[in-house]
Amino acid sequence: TQYGLGCFEGLKAFPQKGGGLKIFRPDQNARRFARSMEGLKMPVFPEESFLAAVKAVVSRNLAIGFAPAYEAAWEKDDFESGHAIYIRPFTYSEPAIGLGLSHHPWVVMVSTPVGSYFRPGNSKAVTTDKIRAYPGGTGWIKCDANYVTPILVKKQAEAEGYMEAIFLDAREGRYVEEGSSCNIFFVLKNGTLATPELGDTILPGITRDSVLTIAKDLGIATEVRRITIDEAMSESTEAFVTGTAAGATSIESITHKESTAVFSSGKVGETTRQIQRTLKGIQYGAGEDRHGWMVAV
């Protein structure tokens, strides 16, 4: 544990418009958790055991009233004010001294009620020259060590008046990779929705994958490729970040070195709003779940 040799997941259970709770795409979290453990050369926690444990945690807490109830008022702001249950599964390595692998890790699951991840009133982002992940490293694994630099960078960005920090690639410092704990999307001038392609330096976000699917359902053209920070700032009309905690959260501006690009006059853009509304509608049971993403507790 002292060497950061652990991994974790984050997923949510949402109160439903029709009553009860449903978990958003837990099978994908189970699969990624298994990949992370495999990447850290741990014995893999079976995906079916992960799913059973997540459901049990949520259902037992629901039975004692430890869960928010659906509120119709959330619909007025497209569920930006909505509450949910956040579930955090994580590994905990057995005691040892020295640079060794974890052969008998514990898997622990905790949960807590949550609201909005970002503070309201500020959605500015700034690039950083710090590096989140290097090629050939563990950037694709949701492991503990990957979050030290992002935490430090995000807190520095907040101290400077920004909501989010954006990481660029390690080799050239030109290509956008992701935010401090989020994947990132750009709506280009031609209406295309673009996001950086995955590699071993970018976390394969489940919300990221969901947004790409939702965009296609809505008839929005998508591109998954390398995007330079210069292109992102000069050719984008909207920008937003995605993640379990963030959902789909608009970025009003990006500051890079001495320049600042403002998107949609600093307001939530039309495409971003459409994707936000659709994603949250699915999660809270107010919209059609076309792909069977929501799993009942």
Side-chain angles (χ1 to χ4, degrees), residues 1-293:
T1 299
Q2 292 153 1
Y3 297 102
L5 199 71
C7 57
F8 64 95
E9 274 300 322
L11 62 163
K12 283 182 177 179
F14 294 85
Q16 299 296 289
K17 187 171 184 176
L21 288 172
K22 288 186 177 181
I23 307 169
F24 181 66
R25 305 192 75 179
D27 59 316
Q28 296 302 305
N29 293 93
R31 188 168 303 162
R32 189 171 64 182
F33 195 58
R35 287 199 306 265
S36 291
M37 295 186 76
E38 185 177 20
L40 295 177
K41 299 188 183 303
M42 291 178 174
V44 171
F45 190 57
E47 293 179 33
E48 60 272 20
S49 298
F50 181 102
L51 290 170
V54 167
K55 289 180 183 179
V57 167
V58 176
S59 64
R60 289 180 185 183
N61 281 319
L62 178 61
I64 60 173
F66 188 70
Y70 186 92
E71 295 183 20
W74 296 343
E75 298 174 20
K76 297 178 182 178
D77 62 1
D78 296 324
F79 299 98
E80 287 185 17
S81 59
H83 289 197
I85 292 293
Y86 188 93
I87 307 130
R88 167 56 54 79
F90 63 94
T91 64
Y92 192 85
S93 300
E94 68 274 23
I97 296 175
L99 299 179
L101 297 174
S102 178
H103 299 289
H104 304 284
W106 289 281
V107 173
V108 182
M109 295 195 183
V110 297
S111 65
T112 182
V114 292
S116 176
Y117 178 63
F118 293 109
R119 297 173 184 172
N122 175 20
S123 59
K124 298 176 182 178
V126 62
T127 61
T128 176
D129 58 1
K130 300 295 189 296
I131 304 300
R132 176 191 171 273
Y134 290 86
T138 60
W140 61 277
I141 300 173
K142 197 169 177 67
C143 64
D144 302 349
N146 287 351
Y147 287 80
V148 176
T149 298
I151 289 170
L152 297 174
V153 168
K154 181 176 176 64
K155 293 308 173 185
Q156 180 62 37
E158 289 177 346
E160 295 173 359
Y162 298 95
M163 177 186 80
E164 182 63 302
I166 295 174
F167 287 96
L168 306 179
D169 72 290
R171 284 201 172 105
E172 301 179 56
R174 294 179 56 226
Y175 294 96
V176 177
E177 297 222 314
E178 60 180 88
S180 65
S181 59
C182 319
N183 295 116
I184 192 165
F185 285 80
F186 302 98
V187 180
L188 306 180
K189 291 177 180 178
N190 64 4
T192 299
L193 181 65
T195 192
E197 64 185 9
L198 296 177
D200 63 2
T201 60
I202 296 177
L203 185 73
I206 294 163
T207 308
R208 171 189 179 276
D209 177 74
S210 304
V211 165
L212 287 170
T213 299
I214 288 170
K216 292 174 184 176
D217 290 345
L218 295 173
I220 300 168
T222 60
E223 290 181 353
V224 179
R225 59 175 174 81
R226 301 189 82 188
I227 304 167
T228 66
I229 185 61
D230 291 338
E231 179 189 7
M233 294 180 68
S234 65
E235 299 300 318
S236 301
T237 59
E238 302 176 37
F240 62 91
V241 291
T242 63
T244 298
T249 299
S250 176
I251 295 292
E252 66 181 89
S253 67
I254 294 177
T255 298
H256 175 60
K257 296 181 178 178
E258 303 300 321
S259 300
T260 297
V262 178
F263 310 111
S264 299
S265 301
K267 300 178 181 179
V268 179
E270 181 180 344
T271 299
T272 302
R273 178 67 72 186
Q274 190 177 20
I275 288 172
Q276 283 178 332
R277 183 183 301 116
T278 304
L279 174 64
K280 293 297 185 181
I282 294 168
Q283 291 174 329
Y284 283 96
E288 182 185 3
D289 180 16
R290 297 174 58 179
H291 302 283
W293 286 340

